[in-house]
Amino acid sequence: MVGDGGQRSMAERAAGELDDVADREELRGRYEMLLQELRVVLPGVQVLMAFLLTAPFAQRFADLDDVGRRAYLIALVSALGSTICLLSPTVFHRVADRTARRARLIWSVRLAVVGFVFLSVALTAATWCITRLVFGTTTATVVATVAVCAFVAVWILLPLSVGRTTHGR
């Protein structure tokens, strides 16, 4: 992680260490990359939200008991929270002070992370609700537990572990 002369490269510095003026291009590049990543995620979130908004009009929705309806509500509210948080960086890009580059990036990343948490909750709750309706509570609980473990492993543990090993270079 330490480059020539004992200094970290620009790519290794946290956004909080960057200066709005001196690191303008780095901040701009990181922000554009974040917006591009969100452009990939948002259609899936929108499809999930559309599904959840139309689900009550399906014939079998009436078969949900109170627990199933609460799980559906958790999925619906979480999908809404995810949509709000994942769209926020775009709003920041258009509305926030253009010279507050570092603050916009920091808040946008935070909101994206919160949006991903909401998304994982929405996906897990919706999957649990549907699996429970079709296969029963035990199967739904197993599937939801596997989903939570997968989210934690792939969305948290794996990204945190990347780059932490010493490559001997």
Side-chain angles (χ1 to χ4, degrees), residues 88-153:
S88 292
T90 303
V91 174
F92 267 82
H93 183 65
R94 293 291 171 210
V95 177
D97 181 6
R98 298 295 253 187
T99 60
R101 294 173 189 89
R102 183 177 54 149
R104 284 187 310 149
L105 179 62
I106 290 169
W107 276 106
S108 293
V109 169
R110 287 175 183 165
L111 287 166
V113 169
V114 171
F116 291 133
V117 170
F118 275 131
L119 178 59
S120 67
V121 171
L123 289 169
T124 303
T127 300
W128 183 87
C129 186
I130 293 166
T131 305
R132 182 172 176 262
L133 182 65
V134 176
F135 297 105
T137 303
T138 303
T139 303
T141 303
V142 169
V143 169
T145 302
V146 170
V148 169
C149 291
F151 283 126
V152 169

Side-chain angles (χ1 to χ4, degrees), residues 13-34:
R13 293 195 298 173
E17 297 175 21
L18 298 174
D19 179 74
D20 282 333
V21 176
D23 300 314
R24 178 181 181 181
E25 290 305 314
E26 176 68 16
L27 287 164
R28 178 180 286 154
R30 288 185 188 193
Y31 205 86
E32 288 173 1
M33 186 181 301
L34 174 64

Side-chain angles (χ1 to χ4, degrees), residues 53-116:
L53 289 172
T54 60
F57 302 104
Q59 281 184 334
R60 296 248 0 237
F61 190 82
D63 295 344
L64 288 178
D65 60 3
D66 286 342
V67 175
R69 288 178 190 271
R70 279 190 225 113
Y72 168 77
L73 179 62
I74 290 169
L76 181 65
V77 171
S78 296
L80 177 62
S82 178
T83 302
I84 291 168
C85 290
L86 294 174
L87 285 172
S88 292
T90 303
V91 174
F92 267 82
H93 183 65
R94 293 291 171 210
V95 177
D97 181 6
R98 298 295 253 187
T99 60
R101 294 173 189 89
R102 183 177 54 149
R104 284 187 310 149
L105 179 62
I106 290 169
W107 276 106
S108 293
V109 169
R110 287 175 183 165
L111 287 166
V113 169
V114 171
F116 291 133

